[in-house]
Amino acid sequence: RAVVRTANYHDLHTYGIYRGYDGMINGDIKRIETRDVANILHRGGTILKTARSKEFRTKEGRKKAYDSLMAYDIDACIVIGGDGSFTGAKIFQEEYNIPFIGLPGTIDNDLIGTNYTIGFDTACNTAIEAIDKIRDTADSHNRLFFVEVMGRHSGYIALYTGIGSGAGTVLLPETNTSNEELASLLTKAAKRGKLFSVVVVAEGNNSGNATEVAEKVSKLLPDHETKVAVIGHLQRGGSPTSFDRMLASRLGYEAVNALMAGKGNTAI
Ligand code: F6P
């Protein structure tokens, strides 16, 4: 929205490329203007749709993508995505000399060069809201809950969600906590009078996902009643937080400024 509106303000033409690089390859491209992005600010997901493109990884695929861009007279691109999208943009720009600007958009917050990626704050808030609700059952029934949040390779969501929801322990892909260590931490907490616990587990945690860890740890702690909750794709949707709206608006605005200043091959 911010890209289209900033560009149109400067009398630049804007096109939407649908379904990511697949759409670029297949010419799934439409003119979009200021009014086309009305009433989307508060929505999750993407009006452009998205896809993981295998074909764009090939030279032939990128040649087709280049031909589509030329057919529409497109001379610069702004790509919103994570490291896969940025890698594709970098390779393409090197081959075809069309400036690309990247906008960091992934709930995982695992991109270098930015403190926050678009979507991360919303995902954390969704997970925290869910854990606040799970905490009620954990507390009422004195249960041990393993809550799994997203993050295949990155523990940011788990870490922020864990701290923000007051979880007893957080298990991440970036650290190594053995099941024995975890069981001992939980036993110590129980001895201090902690009657229930929430353990936040990143999907890509080193010692296994929430279900796997719960199964092993419950054998070490037979006195605890153990439950598992997987928040899953709930974190990938819904209305963005004010932080994400501001971030996306500012980044989109600066992406157009960067292109107008002759920049490319960079991320905002
Ligand atoms: O890369 C973002 C992410 O949300 C990861 O945290 C998660 O593992 C993955 O995408 C889920 O992808 P899919 O919806 O394809 O299963």
Side-chain angles (χ1 to χ4, degrees):
R1 175 180 176 276
V3 164
V4 169
R5 293 202 163 169
T6 308
N8 289 179
Y9 175 80
H10 292 290
D11 291 328
L12 299 168
H13 287 183
T14 37
Y15 291 86
I17 300 174
Y18 290 78
R19 296 179 302 99
Y21 293 128
D22 264 355
M24 197 185 274
I25 291 169
N26 298 310
D28 196 355
I29 298 172
K30 285 190 204 97
R31 185 81 191 268
I32 46 171
E33 292 172 277
T34 291
R35 293 319 310 156
D36 299 316
V37 292
N39 210 18
I40 65 165
L41 181 92
H42 61 295
R43 285 166 56 188
T46 161
I47 58 163
L48 293 175
K49 312 269 185 184
T50 187
R52 293 189 168 122
S53 174
K54 280 204 182 114
E55 208 181 343
F56 198 73
R57 289 166 188 249
T58 66
K59 251 191 175 334
E60 297 71 34
R62 292 194 293 276
K63 170 75 175 74
K64 281 195 217 161
Y66 175 72
D67 291 343
S68 306
L69 294 184
M70 290 303 100
Y72 287 87
D73 242 348
I74 293 173
D75 55 9
C77 287
I78 293 172
V79 53
I80 308 168
D83 54 3
S85 314
F86 281 17
T87 303
K90 185 173 185 294
I91 296 169
F92 189 85
Q93 160 146 13
E94 278 160 11
E95 284 172 353
Y96 291 105
N97 202 25
I98 290 185
F100 268 64
I101 298 286
L103 295 187
T106 161
I107 62 165
D108 290 343
N109 204 31
D110 59 349
L111 280 175
I112 198 163
T114 181
N115 286 336
Y116 296 106
T117 54
I118 303 164
F120 171 65
D121 187 65
T122 304
C124 288
N125 275 286
T126 302
I128 285 175
E129 201 184 323
I131 295 174
D132 286 349
K133 290 178 179 159
I134 287 168
R135 177 181 274 276
D136 290 342
T137 297
D139 182 17
S140 306
H141 291 262
N142 290 348
R143 284 177 181 164
L144 167 60
F145 259 92
F146 289 86
V147 182
E148 184 175 303
V149 297
M150 275 186 163
R152 236 179 325 190
H153 309 295
S154 160
Y156 268 111
I157 297 179
L159 185 62
Y160 274 60
T161 303
I163 293 174
S165 67
T169 315
V170 181
L171 302 179
L172 311 171
E174 294 87 349
T175 55
N176 281 305
T177 309
S178 70
N179 295 324
E180 289 69 25
E181 226 176 309
L182 177 60
S184 140
L185 281 170
L186 293 167
T187 307
K188 278 187 200 147
K191 282 192 184 138
R192 288 197 307 269
K194 191 167 168 56
L195 298 174
F196 74 95
S197 259
V198 174
V199 177
V200 174
V201 186
E203 182 187 357
N205 165 51
N206 263 325
S207 53
N209 62 26
T211 311
E212 290 159 353
V213 175
E215 204 185 305
K216 287 173 197 148
V217 171
S218 63
K219 288 195 182 119
L220 301 169
L221 298 172
D223 296 341
H224 288 64
E225 191 184 358
T226 304
K227 295 280 173 187
V228 176
V230 178
I231 304 180
H233 287 83
L234 278 177
Q235 292 151 100
R236 271 247 192 133
S239 188
T241 57
S242 64
F243 181 91
D244 271 334
R245 295 178 194 204
M246 274 304 291
L247 182 66
S249 299
R250 293 172 64 196
L251 293 176
Y253 169 79
E254 285 300 349
V256 176
N257 286 344
L259 283 177
M260 289 196 312
K263 290 186 188 156
N265 202 17
T266 192
I268 307 294

